[in-house]
Each structure stands twice: as C-alpha cells, then as structure tokens.
Amino acid sequence: MNSKRVWLLTLVAVAVLAAAAVTTWLVLPDRSRSAAGVTGETVKQVLLNGTELTAMLDQPFTTVTGPPSYGGLEAMDDSATPGDCVGVLDVAQRSVYASAPVQSYARETWIDPEPARDGFKPLETRVMFVKEAVVALPTAADARQLFEKFTEQWKHCDGQPVNAADPDTAGSPHLPGTEMHITDVRVTDDVLAASIVLDKSPKAPDTRAIGLQDNCIVGVLIAFTGTENASGSGDPQTSSTDVVRAMMDKVAKLG
C-alpha cells in the first residue's frame, strides 16, 4: 500500500513539473525572439537619429533622405561601381550583400543643416555627412560568416587606390588630383574600421566602420570637412567606431 502511494505521488510530481515547464516556455516569448534577433521593420530602430548623432558629434544634423530606406536586398543602394573594395567605400551596397541571405535592411543619411553658402566657402563643422545602415540576416551564425568574409576583404583593400584607372578597362575616366586611397584598416573581433583619404587633402577623410552584433551587421560612413577650427567633436580616428558601437548596443537591446 505504501509503495503504491509513493508511486502515485511520484507520478503526480512528474506531471506537475512537466506542466510547469510548458507554462514557463509559453510565458517567455522574449527568449524565442532573442534567438531570432532583430527582424523586420525593427531594423529601423537600430539607426541613430539626429538627436543621438548631435549628442555624439556635438554638431546639428538634418536628414536628407526623410524616413529611413527600408526593405530587403532589392531596396539596397546600387549606385557604386562594383568591385572588391566597394564594401569599404560605402554602406550596404547591394553588390556587397548580393550573395547573402538578407532578411531586412535600413539606411539613412544625415548632413550639416546649414543652408548653402555663396561660392565654395567650406562648412564650419567637422563632419560633412553621416551615412548609416543596418542589415539583418536570419541568424547570428549567418552574420558572423559574412563578417569574417568582410574582414578578409578589408585587409586586402588596405592601401588600395580607390579611383585609379582600371587596368582591365582601357581609357576609364580619371580626374587628376582626385586620387584616393583606402588606409588605416583596423580589425577586431566585432568591428572593422578604415579611412578613405583624398591624397591631396588628407585632413578631410571619409571614415568607415562596420560592426557585428547578434544577427546584424551595422555600418557607418562619416565624411569630414577638414576645416580648420571647425565646430563639433568629430574625430576621424574614433567617431565611426563610436557610432557603430552605439548601433550595436541598440541591436543587443532590441534583440
């Protein structure tokens, strides 16, 4: 009789534990969302807004694109000439992600809000414009695999000229004095950074960074004016990576 009672109590306990496990799984949808990472229109929330950029770079910004561009691979910008180093030169170009399983994407561009001045007087701020983008892939493993591919590409592009004549294209247009080089490629486990320098004006570089967080690759391009005594706190050595890490923090919170 006692052994039967013990058996019944054990059976009840197992049933209770199983029910509790099912209930816990049902009431924790955040765990399943976390496994999926950032998806759909949530990618738009990864982009920094004008207020956040102003706080980081200490100068005002206004958007030139309106609401962020959004969609899948087909919505990505395809204006840059394809090439091995185009991924270093601009954010989220379609040719760079053509072979990747892109789930969703968002992009926005911010500029100095000062109205156009007479003649060619330079801007009085450190930063000319900021382009930012985020690309979400199905899984963190997909994003990691793509980031590792980009790492090898960026290493290869360090020191490469940007717009020198293509030896495979006879007579390709080239303007004297516009020579540019990719330089200062920096690689860590989750961030890549580089500069694109106009040889005759090295104090006004474009700076690039991309970062890996969960199932997303985020990227930024910051163009500097090179103006002496300009306002703002933008720094060609650190600002792009600072912006990228702020975006990565958003991915972590949203996921």
Side-chain angles (χ1 to χ4, degrees):
M1 191 72 166
N2 287 339
S3 61
K4 185 176 182 180
R5 179 180 177 83
V6 170
W7 181 83
L8 287 172
L9 288 173
T10 301
L11 185 62
V12 170
V14 170
V16 169
L17 289 173
V22 171
T23 301
T24 300
W25 180 80
L26 290 173
V27 300
L28 288 178
D30 285 345
R31 291 187 181 276
S32 60
R33 283 201 295 268
S34 178
V38 174
T39 60
E41 293 198 22
T42 305
V43 293
K44 295 179 184 179
Q45 299 177 42
V46 174
L47 301 175
L48 302 190
N49 59 36
T51 300
E52 291 168 320
L53 287 172
T54 294
M56 293 188 70
L57 301 173
D58 195 27
Q59 68 173 80
F61 290 96
T62 186
T63 180
V64 296
T65 56
S69 300
Y70 167 74
L73 181 67
E74 75 290 342
M76 287 185 173
D77 183 61
D78 200 26
S79 60
T81 302
D84 290 343
C85 296
V86 67
V88 185
L89 303 179
D90 201 358
V91 297
Q93 284 287 314
R94 189 188 309 170
S95 62
V96 176
Y97 288 87
S99 62
V102 174
Q103 263 193 342
S104 55
Y105 141 89
R107 171 177 172 147
E108 193 162 14
T109 302
W110 301 86
I111 62 170
D112 181 299
E114 287 295 316
R117 298 178 174 87
D118 294 335
F120 295 96
K121 183 179 179 181
L123 292 171
E124 296 176 354
T125 51
R126 288 179 182 269
V127 172
M128 185 183 304
F129 65 80
V130 177
K131 287 184 181 181
E132 52 178 341
V134 54
V135 180
L137 290 98
T139 67
D142 292 324
R144 167 59 68 181
Q145 183 177 19
L146 188 59
F147 184 82
E148 290 174 352
K149 174 183 175 182
F150 290 163
T151 297
E152 295 308 310
Q153 288 177 337
W154 284 45
K155 288 178 181 178
H156 170 74
C157 292
D158 197 2
Q160 294 294 317
V162 172
N163 56 352
D166 185 345
D168 297 326
T169 307
S172 62
H174 176 70
L175 297 176
T178 62
E179 294 83 1
M180 300 176 73
H181 283 78
I182 295 169
T183 186
D184 194 24
V185 172
R186 287 155 283 155
V187 177
T188 69
D189 187 54
D190 59 359
V191 171
L192 305 178
S195 295
I196 303 101
V197 177
L198 182 65
D199 293 356
K200 72 173 185 178
S201 185
K203 293 183 179 180
D206 291 351
T207 63
R208 280 280 283 129
I210 63 172
L212 171 70
Q213 180 66 51
D214 300 338
N215 69 316
C216 292
I217 293 178
V218 300
V220 67
L221 167 65
I222 301 180
F224 287 83
T225 64
T227 303
E228 295 292 336
N229 302 315
S231 61
S233 60
D235 184 336
Q237 290 298 311
T238 59
S239 291
S240 290
T241 53
D242 289 346
V243 170
V244 156
R245 289 205 175 278
M247 296 169 72
M248 291 164 66
D249 288 343
K250 282 194 169 189
V251 173
K253 291 175 182 177
L254 290 166

